[in-house]
Amino acid sequence: MERKVRKIDYGAVFGAMKKHKRLYLKVLSVAFVLACIFVLGLPNYYRCEVKLSPEMTTSRTRSSTMSFLASQFGVSLGSGSMGSEALFPTLYPDLMNSVDFKASLFNVPIHKKDSTRIMTYYDYLAKEQKSSWWGAIVSAPFKALGELIGTKDTIDQHKVDPFMLTKQQTRIVQVIDRKVVCSVDKKTMVITISVTDQDPLIAATMADTVKNRLQNFITDYRTKKARVDLEYNRKLFKEAKARYDKARQLYASFSDANQDLILQSARTKLVDLENEMQLQFNNYNAVAQQLQLSEAKVQEDTPAFTTLQSATVPVKKAGPARTKMVLVFLFLAFLGTTVYVLRKEKQLKPFLGLH
């Protein structure tokens, strides 16, 4: 037995809606007022974006470059000596989402656009954030209760331990997680750092700071082993130079003191000192070449970043989109009123496929 579907009588529908036009007027008026009260209580926020393009160097190119430099000093490098890149740009968002990175932003000095008072980013997020009027009403009793029972979370900004954050520090980390966002385009590998804040100057300041700290971290990571090798080779160079200088001075002193002697033992001693000086010179020369290679390796491993979009203080606010929010309120009020009217006038069943 086929189920009959009742056709929608649009004339009856519009007639029912027209019949309750006063109800629509009342509901939409109240919805408009409530929507305005709601959206006007939301604080403005601004967004600053910074875009970077990291240097993408293949391990083959890096290896061939270093092999060429090494060949200038007569040193041969194996094909697997260069290794592969371990920190890809797609991992940069995970790096910025780490607690260590976010906690490092606590002590960044900032000030508002309309003020010259310097404060830390932590203090700004903890004490200077504006909230909606209803949010302030809801949080006021809890804040007063916390102060009454003495549960204030005291924080020493100079002793932040990412391994064991306090409750307040954890809350600020969560706030930073929402405000500071990093994304990477997997096709172009362009890094986008976005910072959202209620103050435009602070948004731009933090975007530039996060960019610089991310670059410094990546540079330190990429050059860590090369810098360790460089320091070790500098130590060897210093020791080799000291030994060569000592051998040279001994040879010169003995030679000056025994110019008129013809004893075979003195000649033998002079030859031994000369050989020792030459040996130390060869060692000193080899270490000097290795030191130059280490310096070239640090330079080779230092990544280069091209800034596609620098941080700039935003002029226009990013939100909230109050007009759109009011329209959504009005649409929902209109929709709810329509459902009520159609149900009351028994015109809702055709829309539900009932007969």
Side-chain angles (χ1 to χ4, degrees):
M1 182 176 180
E2 295 184 359
R3 184 180 180 182
K4 295 182 179 179
V5 180
R6 186 177 176 181
K7 294 183 179 181
I8 300 174
D9 188 350
Y10 290 102
V13 170
F14 287 118
M17 294 174 64
K18 187 176 181 180
K19 179 180 177 182
H20 295 274
K21 60 181 180 180
R22 289 187 177 181
L23 177 62
Y24 277 101
L25 182 61
K26 293 179 181 179
V27 171
L28 293 179
S29 299
V30 173
F32 178 77
V33 173
L34 293 177
C36 290
I37 295 175
F38 176 81
V39 299
L40 291 176
L42 297 175
N44 294 333
Y45 61 86
Y46 301 82
R47 182 173 293 112
C48 179
E49 287 189 351
V50 175
K51 293 186 178 182
L52 298 172
S53 178
E55 176 191 51
M56 300 300 294
T57 307
T58 62
S59 60
R60 180 179 299 180
T61 303
R62 290 159 56 90
S63 180
S64 61
T65 302
M66 287 304 300
S67 296
F68 172 76
L69 292 174
S71 65
Q72 304 303 308
F73 300 102
V75 179
S76 176
L77 296 178
S79 58
S81 63
M82 292 306 300
S84 58
E85 178 59 53
L87 189 62
F88 294 98
T90 52
L91 297 179
Y92 294 170
D94 295 328
L95 165 64
M96 288 185 54
N97 286 332
S98 66
V99 176
D100 290 345
F101 189 88
K102 293 173 185 174
S104 69
L105 301 177
F106 283 178
N107 289 323
V108 176
I110 52 92
H111 69 87
K112 294 182 179 180
K113 185 178 181 181
D114 57 354
S115 173
T116 57
R117 183 171 66 92
I118 303 297
M119 70 187 85
T120 63
Y121 190 50
Y122 181 93
D123 289 336
Y124 168 73
L125 294 179
K127 304 174 183 178
E128 302 290 332
Q129 289 293 282
K130 298 178 182 178
S131 60
S132 58
W133 58 267
W134 60 88
I137 293 176
V138 172
S139 61
F142 295 98
K143 184 178 180 180
L145 180 62
E147 293 178 354
L148 181 63
I149 63 179
T151 58
K152 187 177 180 180
D153 193 6
T154 58
I155 300 166
D156 186 353
Q157 282 297 84
H158 300 284
K159 295 181 180 179
V160 177
D161 183 9
F163 180 74
M164 186 178 294
L165 297 175
T166 65
K167 292 182 179 180
Q168 179 74 347
Q169 289 172 339
T170 302
R171 185 181 72 83
I172 297 301
V173 165
Q174 294 172 350
V175 173
I176 294 177
D177 186 45
R178 296 192 297 268
K179 288 180 173 292
V180 181
V181 179
C182 177
S183 60
V184 177
D185 190 325
K186 295 183 179 180
K187 294 182 179 180
T188 62
M189 290 301 168
V190 172
I191 307 167
T192 301
I193 299 173
S194 174
V195 177
T196 304
D197 199 89
Q198 295 176 2
D199 187 271
L201 179 58
I202 293 178
T205 301
M206 291 308 301
D208 188 63
T209 300
V210 171
K211 180 200 73 170
N212 292 332
R213 296 204 174 188
L214 181 63
Q215 289 178 334
N216 292 337
F217 181 90
I218 296 169
T219 300
D220 291 342
Y221 177 88
R222 291 269 299 267
T223 61
K224 182 177 181 180
K225 185 178 184 305
R227 285 184 287 108
V228 171
D229 292 342
L230 177 60
E231 290 301 318
Y232 178 70
N233 285 323
R234 282 175 177 170
K235 178 183 177 182
L236 293 181
F237 175 80
K238 185 177 180 180
E239 294 174 352
K241 188 177 185 304
R243 289 194 297 268
Y244 169 65
D245 290 341
K246 182 179 179 180
R248 182 167 54 83
Q249 291 174 1
L250 288 176
Y251 173 77
S253 299
F254 188 84
S255 178
D256 292 341
N258 296 275
Q259 288 183 356
D260 299 331
L261 298 180
I262 58 174
L263 294 177
Q264 186 62 33
S265 59
R267 293 179 179 178
T268 302
K269 178 67 174 178
L270 187 63
V271 171
D272 290 342
L273 290 174
E274 184 179 3
N275 291 338
E276 177 66 18
M277 181 183 65
Q278 186 63 41
L279 179 63
Q280 295 300 332
F281 173 76
N282 293 338
N283 181 56
Y284 166 71
N285 189 47
V287 172
Q289 293 178 1
Q290 189 63 36
L291 178 61
Q292 292 182 12
L293 279 177
S294 298
E295 292 174 346
K297 180 67 163 57
V298 172
Q299 181 64 30
E300 179 72 15
D301 285 352
T302 300
F305 294 88
T306 301
T307 302
L308 303 179
Q309 181 175 323
S310 301
T312 181
V313 179
V315 178
K316 295 182 179 180
K317 64 182 180 69
R322 292 186 173 89
T323 302
K324 293 182 180 179
M325 296 176 69
V326 170
L327 291 177
V328 170
F329 267 88
L330 293 177
F331 173 76
L332 293 177
F334 176 81
L335 185 62
T337 305
T338 302
V339 172
Y340 170 78
V341 168
L342 295 181
R343 182 179 179 183
K344 184 177 181 179
E345 298 296 329
K346 298 181 181 181
Q347 297 293 330
L348 188 61
K349 290 184 178 181
F351 289 92
L352 302 178
L354 301 177
H355 62 279

